[in-house]
């Protein structure tokens, strides 16, 4: 598994995970909008080009809010969410 910055190729898979995990999921359009948001920082956990999970945040004036974190139901209980939170925390500290 690798944790990388979200790009356009990940949007559809993230939207699918949103639909599987949440009763009020973000749309593909909303997720794609985060790619150009200068306050946004999103990461994805990928394995063999498959998105296993993701995390997103927005930062303003030195403070960050975690917006979303989710792992595909087929890949839960493997430490993916913890790895995403840790990676986001490291990135934001930098």
């Amino acid at each position: 598994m690798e944790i990388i910055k979200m790009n356009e190729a990940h949007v559809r898979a993230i939207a699918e995970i949103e639909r599987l995990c949440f009763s009020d999921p973000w749309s593909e359009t909303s997720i794609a909008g985060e790619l150009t948001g200068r306050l946004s920082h999103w990461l994805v956990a990928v394995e063999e080009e498959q998105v296993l999970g993701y995390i997103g945040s927005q930062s303003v004036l030195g403070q960050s809010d975690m917006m979303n974190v989710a792992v595909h139901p087929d890949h839960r209980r493997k430490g993916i969410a913890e790895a995403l939170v840790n990676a986001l925390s490291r990135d934001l500290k930098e």
Side-chain angles (χ1 to χ4, degrees), residues 40-81:
S40 300
H41 187 74
W42 284 54
L43 301 172
V44 293
V46 295
E47 188 170 77
E48 297 178 11
E49 298 185 30
Q50 179 186 9
V51 175
L52 308 178
Y54 62 90
I55 192 166
S57 70
Q58 290 189 345
S59 299
V60 177
L61 300 173
Q63 293 192 14
S64 299
D65 288 322
M66 187 184 324
M67 305 295 290
N68 296 40
V69 61
V71 174
H72 191 286
D74 293 343
H75 298 284
R76 291 184 180 159
R77 314 267 324 143
K78 299 177 183 177
I80 296 169

Side-chain angles (χ1 to χ4, degrees), residues 5-6 9 14 20 23 29 32-34 37 40 45 47 49-51 54 59 71 77 79 81-83 86 91 93:
K5 189 171 179 181
M6 176 180 77
I14 291 171
L20 291 169
S23 60
T29 303
E34 294 297 303
S40 300
E47 188 170 77
E49 298 185 30
Q50 179 186 9
V51 175
Y54 62 90
S59 299
V71 174
R77 314 267 324 143
E82 181 178 7
N86 290 336
D91 282 4
K93 283 179 185 177

Side-chain angles (χ1 to χ4, degrees), residues 1-53:
M1 178 186 72
E2 180 180 19
I3 296 177
I4 59 174
K5 189 171 179 181
M6 176 180 77
N7 66 51
E8 192 173 308
H10 302 127
V11 171
R12 178 169 275 144
I14 291 171
E16 177 60 23
I17 294 171
E18 278 277 316
R19 286 189 290 278
L20 291 169
C21 295
F22 301 111
S23 60
D24 188 19
W26 283 37
S27 68
E28 282 187 41
T29 303
S30 295
I31 295 164
E34 294 297 303
L35 289 167
T36 58
R38 62 178 179 72
L39 306 176
S40 300
H41 187 74
W42 284 54
L43 301 172
V44 293
V46 295
E47 188 170 77
E48 297 178 11
E49 298 185 30
Q50 179 186 9
V51 175
L52 308 178

